[in-house]
Amino acid sequence: MLSIKNLHATIDGKEILRGINLDIKPGEVHAIMGPNGAGKSTLANVLTGRPGYEVTEGSVIFNGKELLELAPEERAGEGLFLSFQYPVEIPGLSTTNFVKTAVNEVRKYRGQEPLDAVAFLKLIKEKMALMEINQSLLSRSLNEGFSGGEKKRNEIFQMAMLEPKLAILDETDSGLDIDAIRVVSNGVNKIKSSENAVLAITHYQRLLDYIVPDFVHVLYNGKIVKSGPKELALELEEKGYDFIKAELGELQGA
Amino acid sequence: MDTPIFLKEQFEKLQAQETSELTGFRQQAFQNLEQYGIPTLKHEEWRYTRVNTLFNKDYEVNNNTGLTWEQLSDNRLPGYQDANELVFVNGVFNPSLSNLLSADLEVLPLNEAAAVYKNIVDTYLGHSADYLKDGINALSSAFVHGGVFIQVKRSKAVEHPVYIYNVAVATDVNVLAQPRSLVYLQQNAQLTITETNITLGSQQSFTNKVMEIVLEQDANLSYYLIQNDSTNASQVSTTHIRHIGTSYSKAVTVSLDGALVRNNLNIILEAPHCESHMYGLSLLSGTTHVDNHTIVDNRQPDCLSNELYKGLFDGNSTGVFNGKIFVQQIAQKTNAFQSNKNILLSDGASVNTKPQLEIFADNVKCSHGCTIGQLDEEALFYLQSRGITENSAKAMLLHGFAIDVLDNITNEAIKKYVDVIISKRLNFDLETI
């Protein structure tokens, strides 16, 4: 589904990603962990096409297409979704109108007819229940004055509405209390199927108690330095990232 | 600059033609006009607005002319079937085009009111001159003629909104139209006013409007000004709201088109616990120039004022925002908020913004802020990442920026009318939502 080969990227001339290699297949959950400044968010941003980053080397194939050549909205149309670490507040645009426009633009990209009012209402009600979101939240301006938990729930609600093939969760757990993490993870797990995949970026292991990964990758200094099963996350939580640094030091020393 | 000859001539003519209770008022104002002169860029309050260039040509003043609703049908405001419509033609109130539905709304020619309600007219007509010491305000008063007095009696809520059309017929000659009104809301009275300008013909029009509004205790006023006149139309619109009792006012100014536009909105809070809200939206292109000057004068304690002005500037348009807040020494516990946000959509557009706070009390909450920028890149990316194309995303963001102001228009027909205009301008498809 997604194949990243030797990806290098810079921001303001500074190299952040220094050769990422990663393959994700349908039905898989991958977690990327790493200390601050390792390049976790940069990877999410480069994959989704946020302006300001320059890819200097490497390639990303998504569903057989050169992902990096597509505009952000085309990537969404292809089935890529990013749950933002800091969802943007947009005054004057109601969440419902925004989601409706997004759903229909994505459908248009995929060659599907736009949803009529009845079908949209049915879909939105189903997904609202899934994310424990009420109508009053949706009629408010997008994310404006939402609590941290409401913002993240709204992100996963949008994911549920857009039904992406690959969802990237960028620090979706940061700043959330345990109840909110449960609701958000629950939503992700219900959307999860053998057809789609999740790439969860997180600093802490806690989220992975709820969204259980098939693979854990450690990102450090712009590279994936270690990959392993879900137990690797527990080891990282226990020993801290210093153990990776030490291990790397030994490797480099050898 | 000196008073133009044509104004002197036409002033003499008017004084000879119409003698009323207002003759002396006009004479005094003309002296003020001679003393102040027409403001140039050297005048601090006019440093970004070249109003004097409008006097490079002569105008007909008080040029009375026949007109029918057919000629105005394109510009009639929606919801008019349920509105009290007042029409000024070239500055003179036209009773035959006007249409009054509400028995609780009293409308009298101003010169008659000056006799019938001598006390009110003597006390309140011309109060804006205390705050606007310039030749433009004096010019309006010097030519007071054909104005109206609008009154709502105690505890009457005028259900049907008032629509005021300031029409300038500039088919054959340049026209100087100076509609003048005095609005008086007695205790606990309620009124909603929507005002707009229409220029017919391709000669130049200059509308110098002054509306002075007085609010007694518990009065409630909503005032909407919709400016979407043609590019041969300039205007100075002065709306002066005096809260003489604890009362509520809301003003929404929407500027969409025109040549040179200057709005003076004065809120004078003369009783404690008054509440006043001011909203403005400029959506400009071409070479349109819109200057919003607002004054909030807190003269008693515990008042709240809240001000939000937004601007979207395209083409070579220019915007000015100047927001003054005075808090007099006695006006403790004043809450006064002001915000001015602007987005420049082209390299040729520009905006000058200046908040001005003069606070003489020590226990107050005042805030002000202004921003000038481009579209928020982060918000744009957020929408695009959800599959929305760049152009649609831009339109959605700009529409959202504007709707924030329009949401304060509680007359749904007027709000929709403005929303349709701005959505079309921003290529925002209202049908998709």
Side-chain angles (χ1 to χ4, degrees):
Chain A
M1 174 184 282
L2 181 80
S3 177
I4 304 175
K5 294 228 171 354
N6 192 30
L7 183 63
H8 290 250
T10 62
I11 182 163
D12 299 329
K14 194 175 163 223
E15 189 167 47
I16 309 285
L17 301 184
R18 301 158 189 260
I20 303 260
N21 292 291
L22 181 65
D23 280 289
I24 299 180
K25 295 186 181 64
E28 292 178 349
V29 176
H30 289 246
I32 290 193
M33 302 183 71
N36 289 329
K40 301 192 298 292
S41 286
T42 297
L43 177 61
N45 291 336
V46 168
L47 291 179
T48 47
R50 184 191 295 263
Y53 295 88
E54 197 189 340
V55 173
T56 48
E57 220 182 312
S59 74
V60 180
I61 306 292
F62 183 57
N63 292 330
K65 288 193 180 160
E66 265 294 350
L67 186 70
L68 302 175
E69 286 170 9
L70 302 177
E73 60 267 31
E74 292 169 329
R75 300 182 196 198
E78 290 295 333
L80 191 62
F81 180 89
L82 172 65
S83 170
F84 278 54
Q85 183 176 4
Y86 304 109
V88 186
E89 300 194 4
I90 302 181
L93 175 60
S94 85
T95 307
T96 311
N97 291 342
F98 159 67
V99 170
K100 190 173 179 192
T101 307
V103 165
N104 281 335
E105 291 234 22
V106 164
R107 288 181 70 86
K108 193 164 129 193
Y109 182 89
R110 293 172 188 168
Q112 298 164 314
E113 287 294 309
L115 287 184
D116 61 32
V118 178
F120 179 74
L121 207 66
K122 186 167 172 281
L123 182 66
I124 206 168
K125 276 199 172 145
E126 182 190 315
K127 306 300 184 190
M128 271 162 62
L130 178 71
M131 288 317 296
E132 301 178 25
I133 278 180
N134 59 29
Q135 184 58 47
S136 71
L137 195 77
L138 293 188
S139 43
R140 279 162 59 187
S141 285
L142 185 56
N143 292 325
E144 199 183 34
F146 286 24
S147 70
E150 284 170 337
K151 281 182 183 168
K152 295 297 170 75
R153 254 153 59 201
N154 189 20
E155 291 293 289
I156 306 305
F157 165 72
Q158 292 168 36
M159 172 181 160
M161 291 294 291
L162 293 172
E163 298 174 338
K165 294 195 181 92
L166 174 64
I168 303 171
L169 311 179
D170 188 7
E171 309 259 0
T172 293
D173 52 332
S174 65
L176 295 193
D177 62 37
I178 198 74
D179 290 334
I181 288 185
R182 241 178 242 134
V183 175
V184 165
S185 313
N186 208 6
V188 173
N189 289 333
K190 281 186 184 155
I191 302 164
K192 188 76 207 46
S193 77
S194 58
E195 307 291 310
N196 57 28
V198 171
L199 177 61
I201 291 172
T202 181
H203 191 76
Y204 305 102
Q205 183 271 338
R206 195 174 54 173
L207 177 74
L208 306 179
D209 285 342
Y210 300 95
I211 301 173
V212 182
D214 302 301
F215 304 94
V216 175
H217 310 279
V218 181
L219 189 65
Y220 181 66
N221 238 339
K223 279 184 180 172
I224 291 177
V225 292
K226 198 174 170 76
S227 296
K230 63 175 189 260
E231 288 75 18
L232 177 57
L234 290 167
E235 193 179 357
L236 278 170
E237 186 71 21
E238 198 182 313
K239 298 183 182 168
Y241 288 107
D242 283 347
F243 114 87
I244 293 288
K245 290 177 196 170
E247 212 169 79
L248 278 177
E250 283 169 26
L251 283 172
Q252 280 160 6
Chain B
M1 87 182 242
D2 290 343
T3 313
I5 303 290
F6 79 91
L7 284 177
K8 289 185 180 178
E9 288 171 1
Q10 303 208 36
F11 175 73
E12 298 302 335
K13 210 168 111 190
L14 174 64
Q15 287 296 70
Q17 194 182 70
E18 191 222 77
T19 310
S20 75
E21 301 283 334
L22 299 172
T23 315
F25 178 85
R26 288 197 296 249
Q27 192 65 48
Q28 177 60 50
F30 194 78
Q31 280 170 23
N32 291 344
L33 168 61
E34 298 255 63
Q35 186 200 325
Y36 295 138
I38 301 294
T40 62
L41 296 192
K42 286 181 195 151
H43 193 299
E44 182 58 27
E45 302 304 325
W46 293 88
R47 56 181 299 189
Y48 297 111
T49 300
R50 300 169 186 275
V51 73
N52 56 315
T53 58
L54 297 177
F55 292 88
N56 293 341
K57 53 188 93 57
D58 287 4
Y59 296 84
E60 285 290 327
V61 188
N62 297 334
N63 179 29
N64 209 348
T65 178
L67 196 67
T68 62
W69 265 114
E70 282 68 52
Q71 291 166 271
L72 298 172
S73 57
D74 289 350
N75 301 297
R76 206 162 188 174
L77 293 170
Y80 68 87
Q81 298 89 341
D82 286 318
N84 297 287
E85 292 183 292
L86 306 186
V87 183
F88 288 84
V89 179
N90 291 344
V92 178
F93 178 62
N94 186 317
S96 62
L97 286 175
S98 300
N99 182 25
L100 298 182
L101 299 179
S102 304
D104 295 328
L105 185 73
E106 184 180 16
V107 178
L108 270 185
L110 193 53
N111 52 1
E112 280 178 37
V116 182
Y117 297 107
K118 186 173 181 351
N119 207 8
I120 291 179
V121 175
D122 281 355
T123 312
Y124 300 106
L125 186 71
H127 189 261
S128 57
D130 289 6
Y131 290 83
L132 306 169
K133 296 185 190 306
D134 61 49
I136 295 295
N137 184 267
L139 177 63
S140 165
S141 293
F143 284 85
V144 166
H145 167 73
V148 290
F149 175 70
I150 299 172
Q151 180 168 241
V152 184
K153 291 266 168 69
R154 187 188 155 97
S155 289
K156 299 292 182 193
V158 178
E159 232 171 274
H160 302 282
V162 170
Y163 287 1
I164 297 179
Y165 301 87
N166 298 318
V167 184
V169 184
T171 333
D172 306 318
V173 287
N174 299 326
V175 164
L176 170 59
Q178 302 202 89
R180 182 82 184 218
S181 51
L182 178 62
V183 180
Y184 196 92
L185 267 59
Q186 293 187 3
Q187 274 191 34
N188 203 30
Q190 280 187 36
L191 188 66
T192 300
I193 298 174
T194 300
E195 189 176 23
T196 193
N197 282 47
I198 302 166
T199 292
L200 301 176
S202 54
Q203 304 298 316
Q204 299 298 309
S205 79
F206 175 31
T207 301
N208 182 26
K209 177 222 88 175
V210 174
M211 179 186 285
E212 289 166 319
I213 302 173
V214 183
L215 305 177
E216 281 190 354
Q217 188 174 336
D218 300 320
N220 183 311
L221 171 84
S222 295
Y223 170 80
Y224 309 124
L225 176 60
I226 314 297
Q227 299 174 312
N228 193 26
D229 211 343
S230 44
T231 47
N232 56 326
S234 292
Q235 60 172 302
V236 177
S237 172
T238 298
T239 307
H240 184 81
I241 304 177
R242 243 181 121 173
H243 293 251
I244 61 169
T246 298
S247 48
Y248 175 96
S249 70
K250 173 173 75 175
V252 185
T253 304
V254 180
S255 309
L256 302 171
D257 207 348
L260 178 151
V261 176
R262 161 67 172 256
N263 297 313
N264 298 310
L265 176 64
N266 304 338
I267 308 291
I268 318 301
L269 303 166
E270 298 177 34
H273 294 288
C274 287
E275 187 176 332
S276 175
H277 299 267
M278 290 149 277
Y279 303 96
L281 173 68
S282 297
L283 171 55
L284 307 180
S285 57
T287 56
T288 299
H289 173 91
V290 172
D291 174 350
N292 278 300
H293 264 61
T294 67
I295 295 175
V296 180
D297 188 9
N298 290 273
R299 306 187 66 82
Q300 287 292 320
D302 297 303
C303 289
L304 166 72
S305 66
N306 178 36
E307 185 170 14
L308 172 65
Y309 271 70
K310 288 187 163 188
L312 289 168
F313 303 94
D314 205 349
N316 291 309
S317 65
T318 47
V320 179
F321 175 79
N322 185 299
K324 280 202 187 80
I325 297 175
F326 299 108
V327 182
Q328 308 298 342
Q329 199 169 2
I330 187 179
Q332 298 294 351
K333 297 186 187 164
T334 287
N335 279 310
F337 308 108
Q338 183 187 89
S339 169
N340 174 231
K341 296 178 179 172
N342 302 288
I343 295 180
L344 297 178
L345 298 170
S346 71
D347 291 339
S350 66
V351 61
N352 285 292
T353 173
K354 183 180 169 194
Q356 215 175 323
L357 275 61
E358 294 186 22
I359 301 172
F360 302 102
D362 50 19
N363 182 13
V364 301
K365 261 189 243 166
C366 291
S367 71
H368 65 88
C370 56
T371 57
I372 302 174
Q374 269 81 35
L375 211 52
D376 181 359
E377 292 282 334
E378 180 68 13
L380 193 61
F381 173 64
Y382 188 61
L383 297 194
Q384 283 182 267
S385 80
R386 298 300 183 247
I388 299 168
T389 59
E390 187 177 350
N391 284 339
S392 301
K394 279 183 180 166
M396 286 175 97
L397 290 176
L398 295 175
H399 182 262
F401 180 84
I403 208 75
D404 212 18
V405 170
L406 299 187
D407 275 342
N408 296 292
I409 300 178
T410 40
N411 178 328
E412 285 302 321
I414 296 294
K415 181 182 160 185
K416 184 79 200 289
Y417 169 75
V418 176
D419 201 359
V420 167
I421 296 171
I422 68 159
S423 297
K424 198 171 164 200
R425 289 257 209 101
L426 297 172
N427 296 318
F428 177 74
D429 188 357
L430 267 179
E431 299 305 316
T432 61
I433 62 171

